[in-house]
Amino acid sequence: MTAVAAPARARALTGAAGDPRWSRPAMWTVLAAAFVLYAWALSGDANEYYAAAVLSGTRSWKAFFFGAIDAGSFITVDKPPLALWVMGLSARIFGYGTYSMLMPQVLAGVAAVGAVYSAVRRSFGRTRQGHVAALVAAVVMTLTPITVAINRDNNPDTVLVLLLVLAAWFCLESLRTARLRPLLLAALFVGLGFNAKMLQAYLVVPAFGVAYLVCARHGLARRAGHLLAAGGVLVVSSAWWMVVVDLWPAASRPYVGGSTDNTVRDLVIGYNGLGRIFGQDRAGGGPGGANFGGQAGAGRLFNDVMAGQISWLLPFCAVALAFAVLLRVRGTLFDGAAWLLWGGWLVVHYAVFSFSSGTFHPYYTTAMAPAVAALTGMGAAVMWQAYRGSRGWAWALPVAVAVTGGWAFVVLRRTPEWLPWLAWVVLGATTVAVAALVTVIVTGLATGSATGAVTGAVAGLVAGRGRGAGRVTVVALAAALVAGLAGPAAYAVSPLGARVNGTNPTAGPSTSRMGGPGGPGGFGGPPPGGEFPGVRTDALQGGEPPQGQPGVRSRGPMGGGVADATVKYLVANQGRATWLVAVGSAQQASSIILATGRPVIAMGGFTGSDPAMTVPRLRELLSSGRLRYVLPGGRGGPGGGETEVTAWVTANCAAVAGHTGLYDCAH
């Protein structure tokens, strides 16, 4: 067994027979770099909304299953719980903490890089060209700035990306082997992605379907039958949790956060579905949603906020796709299925993210990173092949390098105070790369060789027409790498020295021109003037927990705008009540949950406007003794704090002296 295991371990490190000796060590190096980028100096609770749900899931299996924000299971988060399950299981095994919660995210991010590498390499077969393309794709995936930022956070996008990349891998494997089972597995992974972030997972489905219809090695009827079978798997793997929750008696489960009628179905169609695209408000009556990524339109992904997060290599991908179409017309493209799949993935995401009128965060675009990475790797490989072997097509590579480096210079010059020298380094590298590539082309053309531009250049040099064409080409490629990757690499390392902005994580310098300061890690801080509504900054910072107040841990301003003294009072007087207090929104509730470890009711959910709490429901909780204290008001959405619940509390409960806004409803 030992003799057999040793070669297997060696192959894992060095690759299979016939692989370039450098390929597997290079892959492991990239994966190690990804791990360092994603795991370095993690701290805090990241997005407290999801962190509170993870912590609550370690205290209650019911809260774990439903994805409730509190261990008492009053209301769920506004997403399905698959990503929370992954983090929650880790927290149950190792105890809740920063690394137990975020390490699964880190590992998912690294696994996605490895899956992209494998998918791209297998599209080329075991060729040197394929290994180069896969390595380039893995590097691009690793260094995508918004991907680095989100992989250090606890939002569900990291798990979503891994599931979708695995789905792409299996879809391509089905096309490669002409077997149905991998296609069904691809559908299964997309369905699991639905249970991480609902309809966003389905954005890859058109690309997968078109690639299979066009490229599968079966008759048309059989292809359609296979897609119908995959559709059945997709429906079941997507809908099972939704069906269970919606059939569960409403009286014994938490309210579905983000919905208007306490059903997951409404959440899928409304808040996490059409509302994201069309920006409809709760009544479906008009535009709405927070445009953290700027105004909708064709240029959204290139604006001041978004450009540094995802757009660096979009020009290269555009050139690569155009080049692939031309090659396909000539019948010389190596694998049309891979181009259709990754190209369709990128085009659909670009269209939806650019023109959606609803809530849009920059980190959503991490879902574009696999397609950008794959197209960059494949595009570099085929354009380099054409550069070496075709007079007519040799110009594609220098054009792609020129537009990519030029765009990187524009992006970097938008924040001239941040690494001011870098833009000029990129411009210089672009100039050198393009000049060197063109020089080799011209030299090759001058020889009249029929073997192609680069080959002709080398032949001419051997014949005495010059020396060092090989060195010129090496310099060109090195400069091209600097031109394309220096900008995103600089952005990618910036989150390592900054506290995670869990609500809106980004990378790179502040881009305050788009509506708010960012600090290290980019846009997403409080609005000008300094504070988010309802969040106090005068609470105690740091320090030790007060004597006689077990269960309260210091973590900066406690209670999401609730004074520390009030939180301590609640802990001391909770008694046998299930919930420590009922507050207006999840922002307040999550902070108190993380500070105390006690269940807290978020009456209005994430936005503060969910109709989860009604006067009859509140009266029932109070009369049963499961709740005593209520801190109404401060809720977002229509009416702010002037709600029916607030009016009832202020009229029927006693204000607690010394604790502003807190009511004791025990009598």
Side-chain angles (χ1 to χ4, degrees):
M1 182 178 294
T2 304
V4 174
R9 288 195 297 269
R11 285 194 300 272
L13 294 174
T14 62
D19 288 349
R21 296 187 62 181
W22 52 263
S23 62
R24 195 59 63 89
M27 180 198 72
W28 287 113
T29 299
V30 173
L31 294 179
F35 180 84
V36 171
L37 278 174
Y38 306 157
W40 184 271
L42 296 174
S43 62
D45 295 305
N47 188 328
E48 292 186 352
Y49 180 57
Y50 296 118
V54 171
L55 176 59
S56 297
T58 66
R59 309 293 174 87
S60 164
W61 283 112
K62 181 178 180 180
F64 177 91
F65 176 77
F66 286 106
I69 190 174
D70 62 284
S73 297
F74 178 81
I75 191 170
T76 73
V77 299
D78 58 5
K79 300 291 186 299
L82 182 66
L84 297 177
W85 290 346
V86 176
M87 293 181 281
L89 287 174
S90 175
R92 276 187 172 268
I93 295 170
F94 300 105
Y96 176 83
T98 298
Y99 276 89
S100 66
M101 177 175 62
L102 295 182
M103 191 54 65
Q105 299 285 90
V106 170
L107 295 177
V110 174
V113 173
V116 167
Y117 177 96
S118 177
V120 172
R121 185 195 61 76
R122 293 169 78 88
S123 294
F124 284 82
R126 291 193 174 278
T127 64
R128 183 178 296 271
Q129 183 187 34
H131 286 286
V132 171
L135 185 62
V136 171
V139 170
V140 171
M141 182 76 177
T142 297
L143 295 179
T144 300
I146 196 59
T147 296
V148 176
I150 199 64
N151 288 349
R152 298 169 57 81
D153 190 38
N154 57 358
N155 277 275
D157 299 73
T158 297
V159 172
L160 172 68
V161 168
L162 173 60
L163 293 170
L164 296 185
V165 171
L166 291 174
W169 192 96
F170 279 106
C171 185
L172 291 171
E173 185 70 2
S174 178
L175 290 166
R176 188 179 70 87
T177 62
R179 293 189 301 156
L180 175 60
R181 182 181 296 178
L183 181 66
L184 300 181
L185 288 172
L188 172 65
F189 280 110
V190 175
L192 292 176
F194 178 91
N195 283 292
K197 211 175 178 191
M198 293 192 169
L199 289 181
Q200 185 178 334
Y202 285 2
L203 294 183
V204 301
V205 172
F208 290 7
V210 169
Y212 197 84
L213 276 176
V214 173
C215 300
R217 290 178 288 168
H218 305 290
L220 182 59
R222 194 171 183 185
R223 298 182 204 183
H226 286 180
L227 288 177
L228 286 174
V233 173
L234 177 62
V235 170
V236 173
S237 59
S238 298
W240 72 270
W241 182 82
M242 175 177 66
V243 171
V244 169
V245 173
D246 284 352
L247 291 179
W248 199 292
S252 62
R253 62 166 167 83
Y255 186 92
V256 178
S259 71
T260 60
D261 63 359
N262 195 18
T263 66
V264 183
R265 181 183 62 257
D266 176 77
L267 185 64
V268 172
I269 297 172
Y271 181 74
N272 283 331
L274 299 179
R276 299 280 173 166
I277 297 176
F278 299 111
Q280 293 178 323
D281 59 24
R282 290 309 186 111
N291 291 318
F292 295 98
Q295 295 300 310
R300 170 183 270 175
L301 301 187
F302 302 94
N303 67 29
D304 284 1
V305 172
M306 299 302 308
Q309 307 306 317
I310 192 63
S311 78
W312 302 92
L313 292 166
L314 290 182
F316 189 94
C317 291
V319 175
L321 282 171
F323 188 65
V325 170
L326 293 175
L327 289 181
R328 190 64 179 175
V329 171
R330 293 183 63 209
T332 58
L333 185 62
F334 73 98
D335 187 352
W339 286 96
L340 278 174
L341 187 146
W342 297 115
W345 180 323
L346 183 62
V347 169
V348 172
H349 278 79
Y350 170 81
V352 172
F353 289 160
S354 294
F355 295 100
S356 292
S357 300
T359 299
F360 180 78
H361 286 272
Y363 65 79
Y364 296 172
T365 59
T366 189
M368 298 174 66
V372 171
L375 291 172
T376 300
M378 295 190 304
V382 297
M383 283 191 277
W384 172 246
Q385 184 181 43
Y387 182 79
R388 294 182 61 193
S390 170
R391 297 185 180 189
W393 301 107
W395 293 96
L397 184 60
V399 169
V401 171
V403 297
T404 302
W407 174 242
F409 176 78
V410 171
V411 174
L412 290 168
R413 289 301 296 165
R414 289 178 175 177
T415 52
E417 69 286 349
W418 186 77
L419 300 181
W421 50 269
L422 184 59
W424 302 104
V425 169
V426 168
L427 182 61
T430 303
T431 303
V432 169
V434 173
L437 290 170
V438 170
T439 297
V440 173
I441 293 174
V442 172
T443 304
L445 291 174
T447 66
S449 170
T451 57
V454 175
T455 306
V458 175
L461 292 170
V462 170
R465 296 184 181 88
R467 300 176 64 88
R471 294 191 186 96
V472 172
T473 304
V474 170
V475 169
L477 295 179
L481 287 175
V482 173
L485 296 179
Y491 268 63
V493 300
S494 66
L496 275 62
R499 183 178 179 85
V500 175
N501 180 342
T503 302
N504 192 44
T506 54
S510 171
T511 50
S512 58
R513 281 179 288 179
M514 292 303 299
F523 176 85
E531 302 178 5
F532 287 114
V535 178
R536 291 178 48 172
T537 58
D538 59 348
L540 176 67
Q541 297 282 344
E544 295 297 324
Q547 295 297 322
Q549 300 292 339
V552 179
R553 61 190 180 100
S554 297
R555 52 185 308 281
M558 290 164 46
V562 181
D564 287 345
T566 299
V567 176
K568 296 167 188 173
Y569 174 87
L570 291 168
V571 170
N573 293 276
Q574 180 180 2
R576 303 181 66 178
T578 301
W579 285 280
L580 184 67
V581 64
V583 298
S585 69
Q587 284 84 350
Q588 291 176 305
S590 59
S591 187
I592 300 174
I593 290 169
L594 293 169
T596 66
R598 313 290 181 92
V600 176
I601 289 178
M603 293 188 288
F606 179 74
T607 63
S609 58
D610 288 352
M613 183 65 83
T614 62
V615 171
R617 175 64 170 153
L618 178 61
R619 294 179 65 179
E620 188 272 328
L621 292 173
L622 294 171
S623 63
S624 66
R626 288 180 289 169
L627 177 67
R628 175 175 179 177
Y629 294 101
V630 181
L631 201 150
R635 300 174 66 185
E642 300 301 323
T643 65
E644 184 180 358
V645 170
T646 299
W648 187 90
V649 170
T650 56
N652 293 277
C653 301
V656 179
H659 301 283
T660 303
L662 181 65
Y663 288 84
D664 184 347
C665 300
H667 304 291

